[in-house]
């Protein structure tokens, strides 16, 4: 009995250490990613981005026939704009202004990386106990798929481009969060009650999800 308990604890420590080490190594790689040329247009923002930020739901396109360069991406643009006009200035209290931009980019990427890892682990196992062997094993198997270099262009999840991270993996994370309670209830038969407040919040969240990237509306339609 004691032997099994020691073996279980050792396995938990090993799997947890493996995932944490990979996250730390991934963060170091994210920190070395170069700044892409799309960033300036989203941070300033550029003239063609301003109409998107000023008109989230695109009513002017319907009423006045205005054209937008990036439809269905308001919340990606908005989060990108707000994040880079906030986080680097916070970090500049502790580091050089140029370094603060690289660190801001790496922090956002590792948060999206970790968030997707956790959400996918719950989808796969149906458990929210992050220290269970089943959950940690799922994370350890998933971790190699988050390629930063090497096979990143073929099987990467978090893009090298800082801008693309806000428009592809970040919206995907929102989509996974949106679907998670439904998956736990209907796939794993967990006793989750959806009250009136949940329906109201999730309808609003659905709007955010579908206005957060070019892929989410299509994924929603397929689902």
């Amino acid at each position: 009995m004691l032997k099994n308990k020691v073996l279980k604890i050792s396995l938990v420590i090993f799997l947890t250490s493996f995932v944490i080490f990979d996250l730390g190594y991934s963060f170091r790689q994210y920190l070395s990613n170069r700044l892409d040329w799309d960033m300036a247009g989203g941070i300033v923002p550029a003239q063609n981005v301003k109409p998107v930020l000023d008109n989230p739901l695109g009513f002017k396109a319907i009423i006045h026939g205005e054209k937008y360069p990036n439809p269905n991406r308001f919340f990606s643009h908005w989060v990108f704009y707000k994040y880079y006009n906030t986080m680097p200035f916070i970090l500049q209290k502790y580091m050089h202004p140029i370094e603060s931009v690289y660190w801001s980019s790496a922090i956002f990427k590792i948060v999206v990386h970790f968030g997707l890892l956790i959400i996918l682990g719950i989808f796969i196992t149906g458990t929210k106990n992050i220290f269970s062997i089943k959950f940690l094993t799922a994370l350890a198997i998933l971790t190699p798929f988050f390629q930063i270099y090497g096979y990143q262009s073929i099987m990467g999840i978090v893009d090298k481009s800082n801008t693309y991270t806000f428009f592809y993996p970040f919206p995907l994370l929102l989509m996974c969060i949106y679907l998670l309670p439904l998956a736990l209830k209907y796939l794993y038969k967990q006793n989750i009650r959806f009250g009136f407040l949940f329906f109201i919040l999730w309808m609003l969240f659905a709007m955010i999800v579908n206005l957060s990237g070019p892929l989410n509306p299509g994924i929603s339609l397929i689902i």
Side-chain angles (χ1 to χ4, degrees):
M1 193 71 176
L2 179 62
K3 184 179 179 180
N4 289 338
K5 191 172 182 180
V6 171
L7 183 62
K8 184 178 179 180
I9 292 172
S10 300
L11 188 57
V12 168
I13 292 172
F14 171 75
L15 291 171
T16 304
S17 301
F18 175 75
V19 173
I20 291 174
F21 172 81
D22 187 77
L23 286 169
Y25 187 67
S26 296
F27 179 80
R28 185 177 178 180
Q29 290 181 307
Y30 289 140
L31 200 56
S32 67
N33 286 168
R34 63 186 181 185
L35 306 180
D36 58 273
W37 67 278
D38 283 326
M39 291 179 67
I43 297 171
V44 174
Q47 289 299 319
N48 63 339
V49 175
K50 287 181 179 179
V52 180
L53 294 174
D54 294 336
N55 190 23
L57 300 179
F59 286 133
K60 290 182 180 179
I62 300 171
I63 298 171
H64 303 296
E66 289 189 9
K67 295 182 180 180
Y68 297 92
N70 298 308
N72 296 104
R73 307 183 194 189
F74 166 76
F75 286 101
S76 290
H77 276 293
W78 185 81
V79 173
F80 184 85
Y81 172 74
K82 289 294 184 181
Y83 183 79
Y84 278 108
N85 279 279
T86 304
M87 180 59 93
F89 294 103
I90 295 174
L91 295 178
Q92 282 173 26
K93 298 176 182 178
Y94 313 101
M95 62 184 66
H96 191 276
I98 294 177
E99 287 184 343
S100 71
V101 181
Y102 284 92
W103 274 80
S104 297
S105 301
I107 289 170
F108 187 84
K109 284 183 176 182
I110 202 65
V111 168
V112 172
H113 180 145
F114 184 66
L116 281 170
L117 201 60
I118 295 295
I119 292 291
L120 291 174
I122 298 173
F123 266 113
I124 292 166
T125 63
T127 179
K128 296 184 285 293
N129 181 6
I130 63 173
F131 292 109
S132 70
I133 292 179
K134 181 169 66 172
F135 184 84
L136 290 170
T137 301
L139 294 194
I141 294 171
L142 286 169
T143 290
F145 290 96
F146 285 77
Q147 292 279 320
I148 316 306
Y149 292 100
Y151 294 99
Q152 193 275 335
S153 61
I154 301 170
M155 57 186 280
I157 297 174
V158 179
D159 204 281
K160 279 186 179 181
S161 165
N162 299 319
T163 304
Y164 278 31
T165 301
F166 284 79
F167 287 81
Y168 292 95
F170 173 60
L172 180 62
L173 174 60
L174 297 181
M175 173 67 78
C176 290
I177 293 172
Y178 180 83
L179 294 173
L180 185 60
L182 305 176
L184 291 176
K185 182 175 178 65
Y186 296 109
L187 295 180
Y188 291 100
K189 310 302 179 184
Q190 294 188 15
N191 185 26
I192 299 176
R193 294 184 179 181
F194 300 139
F196 178 75
L197 181 60
F198 174 86
F199 282 106
I200 296 298
L201 292 175
W202 242 236
M203 281 192 291
L204 295 173
F205 191 28
M207 182 178 68
I208 294 173
V209 169
N210 281 304
L211 290 175
S212 291
L215 300 182
N216 282 3
I219 294 172
S220 299
L221 287 172
I222 290 170
I223 292 172

